[in-house]
Amino acid sequence: QVQLVESGGGLVQPGGSPRLSCVASGITFRINAMGWYRQAPGKQRELVGVITSDGSTNYADSVKGRFTISRDNAKNTVYLEMNSLKAEDTAVYYCNVNGYGYGWRKYEYWGQGTQVTVSS
């Protein structure tokens, strides 16, 4: 069974620099990308950052220059280094893994989400 285990969320002061981690297990397909999304209260889920199998990255404009996504392919783990946190970064952060298997069947899984609250 595929499982995405997230860690690193919690209450963080403005300007803080936590790191979120997501470890994927039970993966039986080829991973295309791993990434982080977030959803703030009353808002739609949005991309924060994604890293593809070839190492290319993409970030939301709101986090460019502040957040860094990285991965450890051997461990099927993706990280999100968050720097200079602002109140508007407060959201539930979700880990995402997608890929494909036999016959180009597509797979996509989400973590349960981890709350990041930026407050003094």
Side-chain angles (χ1 to χ4, degrees):
Q1 181 178 352
V2 174
Q3 185 175 23
L4 305 182
V5 180
E6 300 156 325
S7 62
L11 179 63
V12 185
Q13 293 188 343
S17 302
R19 184 175 77 163
L20 303 184
S21 299
C22 173
V23 181
S25 61
I27 301 296
T28 60
F29 53 88
R30 187 173 185 85
I31 295 174
N32 284 336
M34 301 182 73
W36 290 93
Y37 294 72
R38 68 185 181 186
Q39 187 167 18
K43 303 290 183 63
Q44 301 218 97
R45 187 176 299 185
E46 64 175 351
L47 170 74
V48 176
V50 63
I51 184 165
T52 63
S53 59
D54 65 0
S56 63
T57 58
N58 189 37
Y59 298 94
D61 289 341
S62 59
V63 307
K64 286 182 179 178
R66 296 191 299 121
F67 292 8
T68 302
I69 191 168
S70 61
R71 55 157 167 65
D72 184 332
N73 290 337
K75 298 179 180 179
N76 283 341
T77 300
V78 62
Y79 305 95
L80 184 68
E81 295 280 355
M82 308 168 71
N83 297 304
S84 302
L85 286 186
K86 309 172 182 178
E88 50 263 45
D89 293 317
T90 295
V92 178
Y93 285 71
Y94 297 91
C95 179
N96 173 271
V97 179
N98 66 76
Y100 56 90
Y102 181 79
W104 293 95
R105 178 182 177 184
K106 294 182 179 180
Y107 296 88
E108 185 172 52
Y109 294 93
W110 294 88
Q112 294 298 304
T114 182
Q115 177 72 45
V116 175
T117 301
V118 184
S119 177
S120 60

